[in-house]
Amino acid sequence: MTSHPAFPPPPGARAYPLRTSRGEFAVVDSSPKPGAEVRGVALMLPGFTGSKEDFRLLHEPLAERGYRVVAVDGRGQHESDGPLHDETAYAQRELARDVLAQAEALGGPVHLVGHSLGGQIARAAVLLDHSPFVSFTLVSSGPAEISVSQQQRVKLLRDALAVLSMAQVWEAIQAMGPPEEVGGPARGLGDQDQLRRRWLGHSPAQLLATGRQLCTEPDRVAELATVPLPFHVLSGAHDDTWPVAILDDMALRLDAQRTVITGAEHSPNADRPLPTAHALADFWDGLGQGRLPAAPGTA
């Protein structure tokens, strides 16, 4: 776990290693703003090739609404340690058990938020034990495997990782075009030096194992729907990883609150952080007032 983070934490937040029964995990942790009514704690899990910094623009607006936000790097992601070559450490069940340990270390219960891959890992955790959680929000995270076009991109990355170093793969990604066209690890909240350092912090085994999971994940929505938690499905208005219509259908199957963030794509937390934060806080506030949100909405 690095002592020289690539990304300074946002105002009012601190970065530190969260100690759990399953080891230490790098987190960015922000407390409610002074004077705000303390409303709860949110644990946020990033997506494939992502990191806790993908939520950095949510900390301040959620702190103003009275929420403590803890964004975490999963095992082998960015600043959290993990084996470089042992893919078994990144089996979905192992990553799910990490999430349960993180919630326990925070003193629970927590509002669980998972973006993309993080949503499917979070789902696995909820299915193992839902008791540490108050609610579960899936952000741009679908019911089963990713789209065919995204599976092809993941296969290209996995093929490259099999023969090239992480630094060589980064250079290959840069040669493919500008970040807005290439996407993936070359695009995110930060400059190219920060994003490169983040990429180099990832374990190749983590990327190989979780990339395979994204391409083979079964549909477990029916199983999740039996869990007695309030659900929220939030996404942008356009998504190449899971088409929005699939996310709409998943929300119906879960009897979940549905929020579509206009002007956002696969990462509404980065594309339009303020309406995303407001949608999250509105959902959580409604639960605190004893209302189970069911109607779809657009922000």
Side-chain angles (χ1 to χ4, degrees):
M1 202 168 293
T2 179
S3 59
H4 301 285
F7 299 84
R14 64 190 183 103
Y16 65 92
L18 178 68
R19 295 178 180 175
T20 80
S21 60
R22 289 178 60 82
E24 294 186 345
F25 297 89
V27 301
V28 172
D29 185 341
S30 58
S31 299
K33 286 288 178 81
E37 179 185 356
V38 177
R39 304 303 298 268
V41 181
L43 174 62
M44 299 193 171
L45 314 182
F48 185 62
T49 75
S51 70
K52 59 191 180 303
E53 286 74 26
D54 293 333
F55 303 109
R56 65 190 303 189
L57 298 180
L58 300 184
H59 285 269
E60 285 194 273
L62 288 173
E64 291 174 356
R65 295 284 294 266
Y67 288 95
R68 177 187 177 192
V69 175
V70 182
V72 61
D73 286 335
R75 183 181 302 274
Q77 281 185 318
H78 191 205
E79 294 176 331
S80 288
D81 292 336
L84 296 179
H85 306 294
D86 178 13
E87 292 186 43
T88 63
Y90 305 105
Q92 190 184 75
R93 186 178 180 87
E94 293 301 309
L95 299 178
R97 291 176 63 201
D98 289 345
V99 176
L100 295 175
Q102 292 155 11
E104 179 185 32
L106 294 175
V110 302
H111 295 286
L112 185 61
V113 179
H115 174 237
S116 196
L117 169 71
Q120 296 198 332
I121 294 169
R123 179 173 73 177
V126 168
L127 290 173
L128 278 178
D129 180 6
H130 69 271
S131 64
F133 308 112
V134 181
S135 71
F136 179 24
T137 298
L138 294 125
V139 178
S140 304
S141 184
E145 75 279 358
I146 56 179
S147 66
V148 172
S149 63
Q150 291 300 309
Q151 288 185 42
Q152 292 169 344
R153 293 172 69 94
V154 171
K155 184 180 185 302
L156 285 173
L157 178 58
R158 293 180 65 235
D159 288 347
L161 287 170
V163 295
L164 300 174
S165 69
M166 290 289 286
Q168 289 171 327
V169 172
W170 177 262
E171 295 306 319
I173 290 169
Q174 296 302 300
M176 290 170 64
E180 61 270 19
E181 295 178 7
V182 176
R187 184 180 181 185
L189 295 172
D191 61 33
Q192 286 301 285
D193 179 63
Q194 290 173 312
L195 295 174
R196 180 180 184 275
R197 288 176 63 188
R198 177 173 76 168
W199 167 256
L200 294 177
H202 276 71
S203 159
Q206 190 270 353
L207 293 168
L208 290 166
T210 57
R212 185 179 297 107
Q213 289 169 28
L214 284 170
C215 295
T216 59
E217 179 73 4
D219 188 324
R220 304 183 71 186
V221 174
E223 188 180 356
L224 183 63
T226 67
V227 174
L229 281 180
F231 300 115
H232 185 195
V233 175
L234 185 151
S235 74
H238 178 75
D239 198 313
D240 288 331
T241 306
W242 287 278
V244 170
I246 289 178
L247 301 175
D248 291 341
D249 178 69
M250 182 178 72
L252 289 173
R253 294 167 64 194
L254 289 172
D255 192 24
Q257 171 75 14
R258 178 73 174 108
T259 302
V260 177
I261 305 296
T262 57
E265 298 190 9
H266 185 60
S267 297
N269 42 294
D271 295 338
R272 296 203 65 209
L274 196 57
T276 298
H278 288 168
L280 290 169
D282 288 348
F283 171 63
W284 298 332
D285 286 355
L287 301 177
Q289 297 167 13
R291 299 195 307 268
L292 286 179
T298 300

